[in-house]
Amino acid sequence: PLGVIATADSKIADPLPTPSKTKAKTRSVVFIDGEFDGSELKKTDAEWKKDLSPAEFYVMREDGTEEPYTGALDKNKKTGTYHCAACGLVLFKSDAKYDSQTGWPSFFQVAFKKNVIEIEDRSLSEVRTEVECARCKAHLGHVFDDGPQPTGLRYCMNSVSLKFKEQK
């Protein structure tokens, strides 16, 4: 049967080992606070597996999705910035976050348009727009056109794909 991986960030339903069989590892993410400069970060799957937790790898490299209402950042109300959990590029600011009541962190705009890539996704029966990190091509979530003003957009992100940097 499929196991559920529990991390500090979220639960992911996928066929990876259960947490008791997975070594915990710590790593630091260098936060990049500005607009994407065009320098892409390229790694092999083997390198990503060394650098990411099993849950992060499943979502960000295999286009997985965490279960709703399980991510640590869904209810986060602190002031700061949200960065790509894989490479540290700034993606969203807390003043654009809102409670979409979907169970995933949601934002009505990105910090810098150049920091994300939007791709047509036809993997399900509906057409959606996938959102990736422009620097490392990590899968972050999807954007929909049912969000609040001023943009009308809902960037619905996987919590495990994000790292939060609190403003001091």
Side-chain angles (χ1 to χ4, degrees):
L2 298 180
V4 173
I5 293 191
T7 68
D9 294 328
S10 62
K11 291 181 183 175
I12 308 292
D14 80 293
L16 295 171
T18 60
S20 61
K21 296 178 185 174
T22 305
K23 291 182 182 178
K25 65 172 131 170
T26 57
R27 65 182 169 90
S28 60
V29 174
V30 176
F31 292 112
I32 302 167
D33 287 321
E35 190 170 12
F36 179 55
D37 65 4
S39 298
E40 292 183 16
L41 176 61
K42 295 182 181 183
K43 294 183 182 185
T44 65
D45 279 348
E47 290 170 319
W48 282 121
K49 280 186 179 184
K50 287 180 185 176
D51 292 344
L52 301 174
S53 72
E56 289 170 333
F57 185 85
Y58 171 69
V59 171
M60 292 189 286
R61 306 316 308 172
E62 296 179 329
D63 298 340
T65 300
E66 67 191 359
E67 292 181 25
Y69 302 102
T70 60
L73 297 175
D74 179 37
K75 300 294 182 194
N76 183 33
K77 296 188 185 321
K78 296 176 183 175
T79 301
T81 50
Y82 293 82
H83 299 253
C84 175
C87 74
L89 184 66
V90 68
L91 301 169
F92 302 97
K93 296 180 181 178
S94 58
D95 60 0
K97 188 173 188 287
Y98 72 100
D99 185 1
S100 66
Q101 308 210 353
T102 60
W104 292 281
S106 297
F107 306 85
F108 60 81
Q109 69 185 15
V110 295
F112 300 97
K113 193 66 177 162
K114 288 175 65 173
N115 291 17
V116 299
I117 299 168
E118 296 179 8
I119 303 164
E120 185 177 281
D121 177 0
R122 294 179 172 267
S123 63
L124 298 178
S125 59
E126 62 182 299
V127 177
R128 303 180 297 168
T129 303
E130 179 184 2
V131 180
E132 287 186 353
C133 172
R135 183 167 184 251
C136 69
K137 307 299 186 270
H139 170 74
L140 305 170
H142 291 84
V143 61
F144 303 93
D145 62 2
D146 60 0
Q149 293 306 315
T151 64
L153 299 174
R154 173 174 52 100
Y155 285 88
C156 189
M157 302 292 102
N158 288 285
S159 190
V160 74
S161 296
L162 304 172
K163 293 290 182 202
F164 180 71
K165 179 181 175 186
E166 188 172 3
Q167 183 179 352
K168 303 288 180 187

